[in-house]
Amino acid sequence: MGKPSSPKLASLDNARRRRITWILVVLGLCCFFYTLGSWQNGGGSVVSGKNADGTACGTSATALDFGAHHGTASTTSDGSTIEQFPPCDMKYSEVTPCEDPERALKFPRDRLEYRERHCPTKDELLRCLVPAPPGYKNPFPWPKSRDYAWYANTPHKELTVEKAIQKWVQYRGEKLYFPGGGTFSAGGADKYIADIAALIPLDNGSIRTALDTGCGVASWGAYLLKKNILAMSFAPRDTHVSQIQFALERGVPAILGIMATIRLPYPARAFDMAHCSRCLIPWGKMDNIYLIEVDRVLRPGGYWILSGPPINWKKYHKGWERTEEDLKAEQDSIEDGARRLCWKKVVEKDNLAIWQKPLNHMDCTAYHKKNANISPRMCSKQEHPDHAWYRKLEACITPLPDVTSRSEVAGGKLAKFPARSTAIPPRISSGSVPFMTAQKFKEDTKLWQKRIKYYKTHLIPPLTNGRYRNIMDMNAGLGGFAAALVKEPVWVMNAMPPEAKVDTLGVIFERGFIGTYQNWCEAFSTYPRTYDLIHADKVFSMYQDRCDIVYVLLEMDRILRPEGAVLIRDEVEIVNKVMVITQGMRWECRLADHEDGPFVKEKILVCVKNYWVGEIKAANTTASMGASD
């Protein structure tokens, strides 16, 4: 080809060629880095590990090579030092930082305040890894775990002796057996629940969430699961050693807690049913303040069940070793308190009594206006009924949302479960949740269905095979994560940080799930090693400027079982900071892409906690990394 006839045309031709060349180079680089990113962080990764007995806890076509991403080096790529967290002393194997028995002695015993949450100060925080006891094994899979637990995991025999007659738990060599007994019935939990089901509807989906106060080892909640009823069981850390630890080891929802001087950490109108079987709560004293708190968290039309003393005291008082006068006075006080709360007594049969909260407060408000001197008064509508994080109990009735007729359910009628899990919650349809619409709720539900599918397929396939039972969602939002897992043999503790922009815990309960308020700058109210999987969506974005995120990670490690999994979703810069810290925590982690691909700035850190146990030395009781991988 001859030269162009003009210098100007030659210049244009050269420019065109250079432009085409640059375009091809840029496209080539884009393709190269896309392929490289997909290979390093791609969704085809799965978390795998080994159980204590050496069997695989997950299967994968290609095993993860964590060493290719980060090892156990003591420095980062920029030369800064990585802190290696030592094991805590073995005496901390069952540490519950905010329910520490020694710290509790500093607080008043009046109204059991000393057994409430009292968290350590900053200079008291443990900067170490809480050890598992020697011989620790992965719990039995559900539903076998309802009846059996490894003794080595919770090495306590106190209740096997103290509650032998009531058959809470029995020691059988390497195992602990839970026969379903309790304080409620000589016939066990199944018969007791059948007796209740003959009186109120437990089988049609209208009752889904329950509260068990003073739950023991949570056998009532364990056996209710057969009826698709999810109970939040709670009891304090007291002389009945490890009852909540036993419950969680069984795979049953439970939390450390007590009715004392502060509100229960749940929103108003949360539970369809509340229960007490000889739970030793003084319902008839202090102006019925504990009944008033049950009323706050009970849904309109919800039931309160009380069994044991003082119910039907005329028949049973001899076996209770209390005077007739004492029992009569207690029952009279409870009956009077229930009337002043406008509850209706449904039935009293044998040593079981059931009351029902009204559907609305139309008549109750009118009654209290006519009788201004009757206590408790109605709380001011300016006092937020859902505020419950360290909020003192108040001797006033939490008013229900206004209605236009006596047959209307205050706050809105709920669908029956399981339809309730995806139906538009009344708090959203009524517009009471700021910035949230029915359309946004539907979009959130679909989003989490998509994300859970991605988790199961690419990140943690054990979600589908029963490897995990107890799951913690540290920043639960609308509860979409739990709703997307509703068909799996798992339960989710939905935590709602008080620092969240919008409090949606009430929405989560309306969907038929359970949860609690929780500030993650503090320890969670549970024993070590009680969750199989922890999900943290933007938790570190929320707390990075509020407290040292090292302690948030150490708390996650405390409550996570050996070989448990962690999913951390956040902006890539924050995830990278977290990943550096985990290098000193005996976790194996890798970075994975967002479900929408590698170009999304948000990433997912997937981790598995290594198996290791503490070692009791002859000279002193300290813990060491005595374990196998």
Side-chain angles (χ1 to χ4, degrees):
M1 181 181 292
K3 293 181 180 181
S5 58
S6 162
K8 183 175 182 181
L9 290 175
S11 176
L12 290 172
D13 187 59
N14 288 334
R16 187 181 303 110
R17 289 179 181 177
R18 286 195 300 270
R19 188 161 56 248
I20 292 172
T21 301
W22 276 110
I23 290 172
L24 291 173
V25 169
V26 170
L27 285 173
L29 287 172
C30 286
C31 291
F32 171 75
F33 284 115
Y34 178 85
T35 303
L36 180 64
S38 297
W39 175 73
Q40 287 181 325
N41 304 323
S45 313
V46 292
V47 174
S48 65
K50 290 183 179 180
N51 296 327
D53 59 4
T55 59
C57 69
T59 57
S60 169
T62 57
L64 280 180
D65 178 12
F66 290 107
H69 303 286
H70 66 86
T72 56
S74 59
T75 59
T76 63
S77 58
D78 64 1
S80 58
T81 301
I82 296 173
E83 181 176 1
Q84 299 295 316
F85 299 97
C88 303
D89 191 285
M90 194 62 196
K91 68 181 181 180
Y92 294 113
S93 177
E94 294 182 352
V95 63
T96 53
C98 294
E99 287 86 7
D100 178 62
E102 291 186 14
R103 183 180 299 105
L105 297 176
K106 301 176 184 178
F107 295 89
R109 289 179 173 264
D110 183 46
R111 289 180 55 184
L112 300 179
E113 182 180 347
Y114 75 112
R115 283 188 174 146
E116 292 180 322
R117 283 177 61 88
H118 302 291
C119 296
T121 60
K122 186 176 180 181
D123 59 353
E124 294 176 309
L125 296 174
L126 294 174
R127 204 173 179 92
C128 54
L129 304 175
V130 174
Y136 181 90
K137 300 179 183 180
N138 285 328
F140 293 101
W142 183 265
K144 185 176 181 179
S145 66
R146 188 196 72 174
D147 301 330
Y148 293 96
W150 294 112
Y151 173 71
N153 293 8
T154 51
H156 294 283
K157 296 181 182 178
E158 294 88 344
L159 285 177
T160 66
V161 177
E162 184 180 344
K163 299 293 182 180
I165 296 176
Q166 296 169 351
K167 298 181 181 180
W168 281 22
V169 56
Q170 297 172 353
Y171 176 65
R172 295 186 177 180
E174 290 187 338
K175 301 173 187 176
L176 294 168
Y177 173 57
F178 300 88
T183 58
F184 30 76
S185 170
D190 263 338
K191 182 181 183 305
Y192 179 68
I193 290 170
D195 290 342
I196 296 173
L199 304 172
I200 59 175
L202 296 186
D203 298 296
N204 65 2
S206 61
I207 294 175
R208 162 64 177 176
T209 55
L211 181 69
D212 192 10
T213 56
C215 65
V217 295
S219 287
W220 188 71
Y223 281 76
L224 275 175
L225 288 167
K226 292 194 296 186
K227 294 184 176 294
N228 216 7
I229 295 175
L230 194 59
M232 175 71 84
S233 300
F234 75 84
R237 178 167 183 163
D238 58 12
T239 54
H240 293 167
V241 178
S242 292
Q243 51 190 339
I244 292 300
Q245 191 177 20
F246 283 146
L248 287 155
E249 194 68 20
R250 300 172 70 186
V252 178
I255 192 171
L256 285 167
I258 191 168
M259 297 194 78
T261 70
I262 59 175
R263 284 180 170 181
L264 297 173
Y266 316 118
R269 313 194 316 273
F271 296 97
D272 301 311
M273 175 171 62
H275 171 259
C276 162
S277 176
R278 302 194 188 192
C279 61
L280 304 180
I281 296 173
W283 301 110
K285 298 181 179 179
M286 294 174 285
D287 298 321
N288 305 114
I289 196 164
Y290 298 130
L291 275 184
I292 293 170
E293 176 62 0
V294 169
D295 180 79
R296 182 185 72 85
V297 300
L298 201 59
R299 200 178 308 288
Y303 298 95
W304 183 57
I305 302 168
L306 177 63
S307 65
I311 301 303
N312 205 345
W313 56 269
K314 290 181 180 179
K315 181 176 180 181
Y316 294 103
H317 71 277
K318 292 181 180 178
W320 291 337
E321 297 180 353
R322 288 173 58 184
T323 67
E324 294 181 63
E325 292 77 16
D326 180 34
L327 289 164
K328 180 181 184 304
E330 183 180 354
Q331 180 155 357
D332 286 348
S333 178
I334 292 171
E335 300 275 9
D336 181 59
R339 278 193 297 270
R340 286 184 280 117
L341 289 169
C342 304
W343 292 1
K344 175 186 175 183
K345 191 169 187 179
V346 176
V347 67
E348 180 175 318
K349 184 178 180 182
D350 296 326
N351 68 339
L352 180 72
I354 303 176
W355 287 263
Q356 186 174 24
K357 181 176 176 177
L359 294 177
N360 57 65
H361 274 163
M362 184 173 278
D363 289 336
C364 197
T365 301
Y367 173 75
H368 278 270
K369 282 182 178 178
K370 279 186 179 181
N371 301 274
N373 295 326
I374 291 180
S375 64
R377 63 177 177 84
M378 284 283 181
C379 299
S380 167
K381 290 191 176 182
Q382 304 304 314
E383 300 173 20
H384 202 296
D386 291 349
H387 289 174
W389 188 245
Y390 292 119
R391 181 73 173 264
K392 288 292 184 181
L393 290 175
E394 298 178 65
C396 59
I397 302 172
T398 300
L400 292 172
D402 293 334
V403 295
T404 56
S405 71
R406 286 176 171 79
S407 60
E408 184 180 347
V409 179
K413 187 176 181 180
L414 294 175
K416 293 182 178 180
F417 198 83
R420 187 188 297 187
S421 66
T422 54
I424 307 298
R427 295 185 192 226
I428 290 178
S429 59
S430 66
S432 60
V433 179
F435 316 114
M436 183 53 59
T437 64
Q439 182 59 34
K440 288 182 179 179
F441 173 82
K442 291 178 181 178
E443 292 170 358
D444 184 82
T445 299
K446 289 181 180 178
L447 174 65
W448 282 105
Q449 289 171 346
K450 174 183 176 181
R451 287 178 170 178
I452 291 296
K453 183 178 179 181
Y454 177 65
Y455 291 171
K456 291 177 179 178
T457 305
H458 298 297
L459 302 186
I460 44 173
L463 257 179
T464 63
N465 66 12
R467 174 67 179 82
Y468 307 121
R469 171 65 182 171
N470 303 352
I471 298 179
M472 165 66 72
D473 192 0
M474 295 176 69
N475 184 21
L478 295 171
F481 175 81
L485 289 170
V486 71
K487 293 182 180 179
E488 301 296 336
V490 304
W491 64 271
V492 179
M493 179 67 78
N494 294 280
M496 178 59 54
E499 298 80 10
K501 292 181 180 179
V502 181
D503 177 4
T504 51
L505 190 55
V507 169
I508 291 170
F509 274 95
E510 287 186 340
R511 298 184 76 170
F513 304 109
I514 59 172
T516 180
Y517 293 107
Q518 172 63 30
N519 179 342
W520 288 108
C521 288
E522 300 178 1
F524 191 72
S525 290
T526 192
Y527 283 85
R529 303 172 300 280
T530 48
Y531 286 90
D532 305 300
L533 173 65
I534 299 177
H535 184 254
D537 181 22
K538 299 182 180 62
V539 169
F540 293 93
S541 294
M542 183 181 297
Y543 284 100
Q544 64 175 340
D545 297 324
R546 290 185 165 93
C547 55
D548 187 345
I549 63 171
V550 166
Y551 291 110
V552 179
L553 284 163
L554 290 175
E555 174 61 6
M556 293 168 69
D557 182 81
R558 183 186 74 88
I559 68 176
L560 184 66
R561 299 192 195 279
E563 298 179 282
V566 175
L567 284 171
I568 297 172
R569 303 180 64 100
D570 227 311
E571 296 297 312
V572 65
E573 295 85 358
I574 295 171
V575 170
N576 283 334
K577 291 179 185 177
V578 170
M579 188 161 59
V580 169
I581 298 169
T582 64
Q583 291 183 42
M585 291 180 58
R586 299 287 174 144
W587 290 8
E588 294 186 19
C589 300
R590 69 159 298 146
L591 201 61
D593 286 326
H594 188 277
E595 61 272 6
D596 290 334
F599 296 116
V600 180
K601 193 175 180 182
E602 182 177 287
K603 299 296 179 184
I604 306 171
L605 188 65
V606 189
C607 301
V608 172
K609 178 178 176 178
N610 286 345
Y611 176 83
W612 66 275
V613 299
E615 181 178 310
I616 301 176
K617 296 183 178 179
N620 52 27
T621 54
T622 58
S624 68
M625 296 290 188
S628 59
D629 290 327

Short mmCIF file of all heavy atoms in Angstrom, two decimals, residues 222-241:
data_model
loop_
_atom_site.label_atom_id
_atom_site.label_comp_id
_atom_site.label_asym_id
_atom_site.label_seq_id
_atom_site.Cartn_x
_atom_site.Cartn_y
_atom_site.Cartn_z
N ALA A 222 -37.95 -27.48 73.96
CA ALA A 222 -37.45 -28.55 73.10
C ALA A 222 -38.58 -29.37 72.51
O ALA A 222 -38.58 -29.71 71.32
CB ALA A 222 -36.49 -29.45 73.88
N TYR A 223 -39.59 -29.69 73.32
CA TYR A 223 -40.68 -30.52 72.84
C TYR A 223 -41.73 -29.72 72.08
O TYR A 223 -42.48 -30.29 71.27
CB TYR A 223 -41.32 -31.28 74.02
CG TYR A 223 -40.51 -32.49 74.43
CD1 TYR A 223 -39.32 -32.35 75.16
CD2 TYR A 223 -40.91 -33.77 74.08
CE1 TYR A 223 -38.56 -33.45 75.52
CE2 TYR A 223 -40.15 -34.89 74.44
CZ TYR A 223 -38.97 -34.72 75.15
OH TYR A 223 -38.22 -35.81 75.49
N LEU A 224 -41.80 -28.42 72.28
CA LEU A 224 -42.70 -27.59 71.49
C LEU A 224 -42.28 -27.51 70.03
O LEU A 224 -43.10 -27.22 69.15
CB LEU A 224 -42.76 -26.17 72.07
CG LEU A 224 -43.74 -25.91 73.21
CD1 LEU A 224 -43.57 -24.48 73.72
CD2 LEU A 224 -45.19 -26.14 72.77
N LEU A 225 -41.00 -27.75 69.76
CA LEU A 225 -40.51 -27.66 68.37
C LEU A 225 -41.24 -28.64 67.46
O LEU A 225 -41.34 -28.41 66.25
CB LEU A 225 -39.00 -27.89 68.34
CG LEU A 225 -38.15 -26.74 68.90
CD1 LEU A 225 -36.72 -27.20 69.13
CD2 LEU A 225 -38.19 -25.54 67.96
N LYS A 226 -41.75 -29.74 68.01
CA LYS A 226 -42.51 -30.70 67.20
C LYS A 226 -43.79 -30.07 66.66
O LYS A 226 -44.33 -30.52 65.65
CB LYS A 226 -42.84 -31.94 68.02
CG LYS A 226 -41.63 -32.78 68.39
CD LYS A 226 -42.04 -34.15 68.91
CE LYS A 226 -42.82 -34.08 70.19
NZ LYS A 226 -43.09 -35.43 70.76
N LYS A 227 -44.26 -29.03 67.34
CA LYS A 227 -45.47 -28.34 66.91
C LYS A 227 -45.15 -27.06 66.13
O LYS A 227 -46.01 -26.22 65.92
CB LYS A 227 -46.35 -28.02 68.13
CG LYS A 227 -46.91 -29.26 68.82
CD LYS A 227 -47.86 -28.88 69.94
CE LYS A 227 -48.48 -30.13 70.57
NZ LYS A 227 -49.36 -30.86 69.63
N ASN A 228 -43.89 -26.94 65.73
CA ASN A 228 -43.45 -25.77 64.97
C ASN A 228 -43.60 -24.48 65.77
O ASN A 228 -43.87 -23.40 65.20
CB ASN A 228 -44.20 -25.65 63.64
CG ASN A 228 -43.31 -25.12 62.53
OD1 ASN A 228 -42.11 -24.95 62.71
ND2 ASN A 228 -43.89 -24.82 61.38
N ILE A 229 -43.44 -24.59 67.08
CA ILE A 229 -43.48 -23.43 67.97
C ILE A 229 -42.07 -23.18 68.46
O ILE A 229 -41.39 -24.09 68.95
CB ILE A 229 -44.44 -23.65 69.15
CG1 ILE A 229 -45.88 -23.77 68.64
CG2 ILE A 229 -44.32 -22.53 70.18
CD1 ILE A 229 -46.89 -24.13 69.72
N LEU A 230 -41.62 -21.95 68.33
CA LEU A 230 -40.24 -21.57 68.66
C LEU A 230 -40.25 -20.81 69.98
O LEU A 230 -40.82 -19.72 70.07
CB LEU A 230 -39.68 -20.71 67.54
CG LEU A 230 -38.17 -20.46 67.49
CD1 LEU A 230 -37.41 -21.77 67.37
CD2 LEU A 230 -37.85 -19.54 66.32
N ALA A 231 -39.62 -21.38 70.99
CA ALA A 231 -39.62 -20.77 72.32
C ALA A 231 -38.29 -20.08 72.60
O ALA A 231 -37.23 -20.63 72.30
CB ALA A 231 -39.91 -21.82 73.38
N MET A 232 -38.37 -18.89 73.19
CA MET A 232 -37.20 -18.24 73.75
C MET A 232 -37.17 -18.62 75.22
O MET A 232 -37.97 -18.12 76.02
CB MET A 232 -37.29 -16.72 73.60
CG MET A 232 -36.16 -15.97 74.28
SD MET A 232 -34.58 -16.17 73.47
CE MET A 232 -34.72 -14.90 72.19
N SER A 233 -36.27 -19.53 75.57
CA SER A 233 -36.17 -20.01 76.95
C SER A 233 -35.06 -19.25 77.66
O SER A 233 -33.98 -19.07 77.09
CB SER A 233 -35.88 -21.51 76.97
OG SER A 233 -36.90 -22.24 76.32
N PHE A 234 -35.31 -18.80 78.88
CA PHE A 234 -34.24 -18.11 79.60
C PHE A 234 -34.25 -18.48 81.08
O PHE A 234 -35.28 -18.84 81.65
CB PHE A 234 -34.30 -16.60 79.40
CG PHE A 234 -35.39 -15.88 80.16
CD1 PHE A 234 -35.21 -15.50 81.48
CD2 PHE A 234 -36.60 -15.57 79.55
CE1 PHE A 234 -36.20 -14.83 82.18
CE2 PHE A 234 -37.60 -14.90 80.23
CZ PHE A 234 -37.40 -14.52 81.56
N ALA A 235 -33.07 -18.39 81.66
CA ALA A 235 -32.86 -18.61 83.09
C ALA A 235 -31.55 -17.94 83.44
O ALA A 235 -30.69 -17.74 82.58
CB ALA A 235 -32.82 -20.10 83.41
N PRO A 236 -31.36 -17.59 84.70
CA PRO A 236 -30.10 -16.94 85.08
C PRO A 236 -28.98 -17.95 85.27
O PRO A 236 -29.20 -19.16 85.35
CB PRO A 236 -30.46 -16.29 86.41
CG PRO A 236 -31.49 -17.20 87.00
CD PRO A 236 -32.30 -17.70 85.83
N ARG A 237 -27.76 -17.43 85.35
CA ARG A 237 -26.64 -18.27 85.78
C ARG A 237 -26.68 -18.27 87.30
O ARG A 237 -26.30 -17.30 87.96
CB ARG A 237 -25.32 -17.70 85.27
CG ARG A 237 -24.13 -18.52 85.74
CD ARG A 237 -22.84 -18.20 85.03
NE ARG A 237 -21.78 -19.08 85.50
CZ ARG A 237 -20.63 -19.29 84.88
NH1 ARG A 237 -20.38 -18.65 83.75
NH2 ARG A 237 -19.73 -20.11 85.37
N ASP A 238 -27.16 -19.36 87.88
CA ASP A 238 -27.33 -19.41 89.33
C ASP A 238 -26.83 -20.74 89.86
O ASP A 238 -25.97 -21.38 89.24
CB ASP A 238 -28.79 -19.15 89.71
CG ASP A 238 -29.75 -20.15 89.07
OD1 ASP A 238 -29.27 -21.17 88.52
OD2 ASP A 238 -30.97 -19.95 89.14
N THR A 239 -27.35 -21.17 90.98
CA THR A 239 -26.89 -22.41 91.59
C THR A 239 -27.25 -23.64 90.77
O THR A 239 -26.65 -24.71 90.96
CB THR A 239 -27.50 -22.56 93.00
OG1 THR A 239 -28.92 -22.44 92.92
CG2 THR A 239 -26.96 -21.46 93.92
N HIS A 240 -28.24 -23.53 89.87
CA HIS A 240 -28.57 -24.63 88.97
C HIS A 240 -27.55 -24.61 87.82
O HIS A 240 -27.82 -24.10 86.74
CB HIS A 240 -29.98 -24.48 88.42
CG HIS A 240 -31.04 -24.64 89.46
ND1 HIS A 240 -32.35 -24.29 89.24
CD2 HIS A 240 -30.99 -25.11 90.73
CE1 HIS A 240 -33.05 -24.54 90.33
NE2 HIS A 240 -32.25 -25.04 91.25
N VAL A 241 -26.41 -25.15 88.05
CA VAL A 241 -25.25 -24.98 87.17
C VAL A 241 -25.54 -25.42 85.73
O VAL A 241 -26.02 -26.52 85.49
CB VAL A 241 -24.05 -25.76 87.72
CG1 VAL A 241 -22.84 -25.63 86.80
CG2 VAL A 241 -23.69 -25.24 89.12
#
